[in-house]
Amino acid sequence: MRGFWVTVALEESPLSAEAVLDVSGLTTRFSTPDGVVHAVNDVSFELRAGEFLGVVGESGSGKSVTMMSLLKLIPMPPGHIDAGVADFGGDDLLSIDAAALRTIRGGQIGFIFQDPMTSLNPVLTIGKQLCEPVMLHTGADRKAAKARAIELLDLVGIPDAAQRFKNYPHELSGGMRQRVMIAMALACEPKVIIADEPTTALDVTIQAQIIDLVKDLREKLNTAVIWITHDLGVVAGLADRVIVMYGGRIVEQSPVAELYARPEHPYTQGLLNSVPRIDQKGGELTSIPGQPPSLLAEPTGCSFAPRCPHAFDRCLTEIPQLAAIDAAGEHLSACFWDTVEGRERT
Amino acid sequence: MTETMNAPTPAPDGASTGAPILEVTDLKKHFPIMKGLVRRKVGDVRAVDGISFQIRKGETLGLVGESGCGKSTTGRVILQLDRATEGSVKYEGEELVGKSTSQMRGLRPNMQMVFQDPHASLNPRMTVASIIEEPLIEHRFGDRAERLAWIEELLGLVGLSPTHANRYPHEFSGGQRQRIGIARAIALNPDFVVCDEPIAALDVSIQAQVVNLLERLQDELSLTYLFISHDLSMVRHLADRVAVMYLGRMVELAPVDALYESPQHPYTQALHSAVPVPNPIVEFGRERIILKGDIPSPANPPSGCSFHTRCPIATAECAERVPEWRETNPGHWVACHLV
């Protein structure tokens, strides 16, 4: 274990240009008795080698469905992927056959889910569950897999790993179970880890432990991470780049420092103004009026327009596309209004 | 243990100097653990284990802590929704502990509750109007026409439209449902409202709407709040004083600025530093106290100071003696041997 007082050094992680995952035009819909749910609409982004990508959005923004769609982890039917390409090392994840996808899932791309109690098998020991992917993906025998599993439990900071190997999930606390989930995701040394709200179900002091662990592992392993969350605070300290989603679309994408210093999309601005900060005295909270959009209607304009203080007629009839707004092409926003200049973007 | 707990006296700390509306003294709530075929009692979950504090008229007292610390149980026991095991709860000088259900009914209009889950706390088979009307009928408020007029006014007050009155809860979003729950809570003109995690189930952009509504209603109707939450940032935003609980005991109670700017208890300090700030520059520069281990079970709390198993500065004394609940600065209460 590390000491109690951990200093987080200011680090500038280099943004390498090489993409390990390149998604374009992903569109996922669900056919329900109420109609077609437009969950993900024309989403394109890339994940660069070794980077930490935060994906922020509220419930129904499409952040989880986007990532689940990539590995076909959504229930199909009712879900269906209507369009898109997801290039992962030369393979298109959305069109390769089920067997090829199985070797990638859990092997080259690891997953960490929100609730470890429902994603771990309650009737198998955590050791058995850890050995399974190791044996399946690396072809290791039982003995080697066990050694690897204990090594992984140790790596994620589970004390007395050899003993814990024999425990069932219910014998562990929430924080420990999430550590086991992380160990499972890391088991086959994946190139990419997708973490879906991994600390949302945890108490704040346990969340701090897990975040500390993830920071530590990042330095050791150099795996690219996609971290899905609704908490703007969590990604601020972790991510290199952040994607903000709303109504099934990416509305803003930017390097982390730039996003918080100069949020460009009115939704991102609204979100940042509506969360109180523990390091600042109270003051007015500026709430975003209205409700999140219904995804049942085919969007004809910007889905944030009904809640947006800057909306004008064009926003209701045309869907704004994600476009670079800085010289480097790193900061992208999907909005017709230039909030800095106070006029329509040209 | 009782001798170590003293009721705090009102202190001139500037945050709020009103008279106490509620006095809680050495309150305990133990839930029995039953086992075996004959349901023999084998122990107690000490959900609330001897806490004392006051709430002043017109203030918002924030009650924070992690899951299982007893903060929600405290709220429920204050309103006598759960019966206290020991201790006293005085509302405007009147003892509530030991009162019968019918005796409590007369006091209910004064003290209300807003629940966490707006999906579970509204009857799905009742219209919005009948949900809000129910307490009005129970407490014989006017005739039907007067009640409907008041319901219309209430809906306006919480930011809904009178046309919503005849709809059912499932037709509303989470934020709107919470507004209905708030309308029901204020329908009888209460003085004191317990808000039990009222925003925890809501999306970020909706949380601010509901908090702004609660603040506006407090001003307009001069309400007193006990605001129970695990969200330390939001509590800083709206509370006047804040109490921190750990494993059924209060570890610190102070005016909001003192608690956030100079927290004294090591648990408060750790809790404070664990909350992420939505600003990368601040985040990179922050020192974080990482507590080791997990929260112990309240069925089997550690000896002495219940925090000593995770405390970065614990000494031998902490494992033996329960720290005294004492006032270190005017209005600033803390239970730690080392402060």
Side-chain angles (χ1 to χ4, degrees):
Chain A
M1 274 309 269
R2 294 166 76 171
F4 296 112
W5 296 85
V6 177
T7 312
V8 181
L10 183 68
E11 50 182 325
E12 279 297 323
S13 21
L15 299 173
S16 61
E18 185 207 343
V20 281
L21 180 64
D22 195 346
V23 178
S24 60
L26 180 68
T27 300
T28 303
R29 297 190 176 127
F30 291 86
S31 301
T32 71
D34 295 331
V36 176
V37 174
H38 300 260
V40 178
N41 304 305
D42 191 18
V43 163
S44 306
F45 68 95
E46 56 171 31
L47 176 71
R48 297 160 190 171
E51 90 167 328
F52 199 112
L53 181 67
V55 180
V56 179
E58 299 178 272
S59 36
S61 65
K63 57 192 192 301
S64 292
V65 177
T66 299
M67 301 308 160
M68 297 290 182
S69 299
L70 296 178
L71 294 181
K72 301 209 176 138
L73 288 172
I74 53 168
M76 294 195 277
H80 40 95
I81 297 167
D82 288 358
V85 177
D87 182 75
F88 179 70
D91 292 323
D92 176 17
L93 294 176
L94 302 177
S95 61
I96 56 174
D97 60 36
L101 192 62
R102 256 200 309 275
T103 65
I104 291 173
R105 246 187 332 228
Q108 294 168 62
I109 301 181
F111 247 95
I112 302 169
F113 297 97
Q114 174 173 346
D115 184 355
M117 200 55 215
T118 53
S119 35
L120 291 171
N121 187 335
V123 299
L124 296 179
T125 62
I126 58 164
K128 200 160 177 101
Q129 294 182 64
L130 261 170
C131 287
E132 202 178 45
V134 175
M135 283 156 68
L136 190 72
H137 290 290
T138 66
D141 63 13
R142 199 169 290 272
K143 208 174 154 196
K146 184 177 177 183
R148 171 76 179 142
I150 291 174
E151 182 189 318
L152 284 164
L153 289 177
D154 208 39
L155 182 73
V156 295
I158 292 185
D160 212 1
Q163 282 304 310
R164 287 296 186 186
F165 184 86
K166 298 175 203 150
N167 280 162
Y168 288 89
H170 76 269
E171 297 176 284
L172 304 176
S173 66
M176 283 298 157
R177 283 198 287 264
Q178 200 54 288
R179 285 174 194 263
V180 172
M181 284 296 292
I182 294 173
M184 283 175 82
L186 291 173
C188 303
E189 293 176 352
K191 283 194 202 131
V192 175
I193 289 181
I194 299 174
D196 188 2
E197 303 255 10
T199 59
T200 304
L202 304 176
D203 270 316
V204 63
T205 60
I206 309 298
Q207 168 174 287
Q209 290 176 354
I210 297 292
I211 288 175
D212 188 45
L213 169 70
V214 171
K215 276 183 178 160
D216 194 33
L217 290 174
R218 260 194 85 197
E219 283 164 34
K220 285 185 192 156
L221 304 175
N222 199 38
T223 306
V225 181
I226 296 175
W227 186 285
I228 303 167
T229 182
H230 68 278
D231 188 333
L232 286 159
V234 169
V235 285
L238 277 172
D240 300 311
R241 286 193 309 141
V242 179
I243 284 175
V244 182
M245 290 191 73
Y246 186 82
R249 273 172 205 283
I250 296 179
V251 294
E252 188 160 6
Q253 176 182 321
S254 165
V256 66
E258 169 83 6
L259 185 86
Y260 288 82
R262 278 174 293 281
E264 188 58 38
H265 196 281
Y267 174 64
T268 317
Q269 293 175 349
L271 211 52
L272 281 167
N273 287 334
S274 64
V275 291
R277 282 173 53 165
I278 195 164
D279 62 336
Q280 282 175 358
K281 259 192 185 170
E284 191 74 358
L285 285 186
T286 320
S287 65
I288 304 176
Q291 310 295 330
S294 159
L295 300 169
L296 283 170
E298 170 105 47
T300 52
C302 173
S303 26
F304 188 59
R307 306 175 74 186
C308 180
H310 305 292
F312 56 107
D313 45 3
R314 190 181 169 196
C315 305
L316 300 171
T317 54
E318 202 181 321
I319 297 172
Q321 299 300 314
L322 199 62
I325 52 163
D326 65 343
E330 282 288 314
H331 191 169
L332 290 77
S333 173
C335 183
F336 294 129
W337 192 256
D338 188 328
T339 49
V340 179
E341 299 284 331
R343 58 177 165 80
E344 191 176 347
R345 206 180 284 284
T346 43
Chain B
M1 196 184 314
T2 32
E3 70 274 15
T4 62
M5 298 290 177
N6 306 305
T9 44
D13 51 44
S16 169
T17 47
I21 191 168
L22 191 89
E23 279 178 88
V24 174
T25 313
D26 202 23
L27 185 69
K28 287 182 187 171
K29 174 66 189 176
H30 295 180
F31 294 97
I33 307 169
M34 302 296 196
K35 249 196 177 147
L37 207 57
V38 291
R39 313 306 293 162
R40 209 156 40 83
K41 189 180 152 194
V42 294
D44 279 310
V45 173
R46 299 188 193 171
V48 178
D49 203 16
I51 60 171
S52 304
F53 62 97
Q54 297 182 336
I55 301 178
R56 298 167 196 163
K57 229 170 227 155
E59 80 167 343
T60 300
L61 178 73
L63 184 58
V64 300
E66 297 179 281
S67 38
C69 73
K71 55 190 190 301
S72 288
T73 306
T74 302
R76 295 181 59 84
V77 173
I78 285 174
L79 294 184
Q80 305 299 308
L81 299 174
D82 282 326
R83 294 294 175 180
T85 308
E86 235 183 275
S88 141
V89 177
K90 281 192 180 141
Y91 179 78
E92 306 246 48
E94 195 175 346
E95 181 61 64
L96 303 184
V97 173
K99 270 207 191 314
S100 69
T101 310
S102 57
Q103 283 173 320
M104 272 309 292
R105 187 168 292 138
L107 289 164
R108 291 269 177 234
N110 299 331
M111 40 179 94
Q112 289 289 319
M113 188 155 183
V114 176
F115 296 93
Q116 168 171 358
D117 189 346
H119 300 252
S121 55
L122 302 178
N123 188 332
R125 291 162 196 271
M126 287 165 77
T127 62
V128 169
S130 45
I131 286 170
I132 303 174
E133 195 182 11
E134 204 177 24
L136 298 176
I137 296 172
E138 174 75 25
H139 292 282
R140 304 170 200 284
F141 179 100
D143 58 23
R144 171 115 181 119
E146 283 171 327
R147 288 198 299 264
L148 289 180
W150 176 226
I151 289 167
E152 211 163 279
E153 199 181 328
L154 281 168
L155 287 173
L157 214 52
V158 298
L160 293 171
S161 135
T163 59
H164 289 137
N166 292 318
R167 296 207 196 153
Y168 288 88
H170 76 265
E171 298 175 61
F172 295 91
S173 67
Q176 288 172 320
R177 268 184 259 211
Q178 201 53 292
R179 288 174 193 267
I180 298 167
I182 292 169
R184 176 178 59 186
I186 61 170
L188 291 163
N189 280 318
D191 296 316
F192 174 58
V193 179
V194 173
C195 305
D196 186 8
E197 301 264 17
I199 56 164
L202 306 178
D203 263 320
V204 181
S205 74
I206 306 299
Q207 287 184 353
Q209 291 180 1
V210 171
V211 165
N212 285 343
L213 171 65
L214 286 171
E215 288 186 302
R216 183 166 59 76
L217 292 175
Q218 181 168 40
D219 286 346
E220 288 173 12
L221 309 172
S222 48
L223 298 170
T224 304
Y225 288 142
L226 174 64
F227 191 89
I228 300 167
S229 178
H230 68 278
D231 184 339
L232 273 86
S233 310
M234 196 56 96
V235 167
R236 171 160 206 181
H237 169 77
L238 58 72
D240 298 306
R241 292 188 306 142
V242 181
V244 183
M245 281 184 79
Y246 185 79
L247 274 182
R249 296 214 183 108
M250 220 165 248
V251 297
E252 193 161 358
L253 170 66
V256 63
D257 289 340
L259 192 100
Y260 284 86
E261 273 152 34
S262 51
Q264 296 188 352
H265 197 282
Y267 178 62
T268 316
Q269 292 168 357
L271 206 54
H272 189 282
S273 89
V275 177
V277 175
N279 181 325
I281 298 153
V282 175
E283 274 294 301
F284 280 126
R286 268 176 110 201
E287 281 201 346
R288 189 148 278 163
I289 307 167
I290 307 284
L291 292 178
K292 63 177 174 182
D294 292 303
I295 305 163
S297 159
N300 185 22
S303 62
C305 170
S306 49
F307 184 58
H308 84 263
T309 52
R310 302 174 76 198
C311 182
I313 55 171
T315 63
E317 188 194 12
C318 303
E320 286 158 17
R321 257 184 354 103
V322 177
E324 197 186 339
W325 179 239
R326 62 200 166 89
E327 197 171 17
T328 54
N329 281 316
H332 197 146
W333 292 76
V334 62
C336 178
H337 293 305
L338 301 159
V339 171

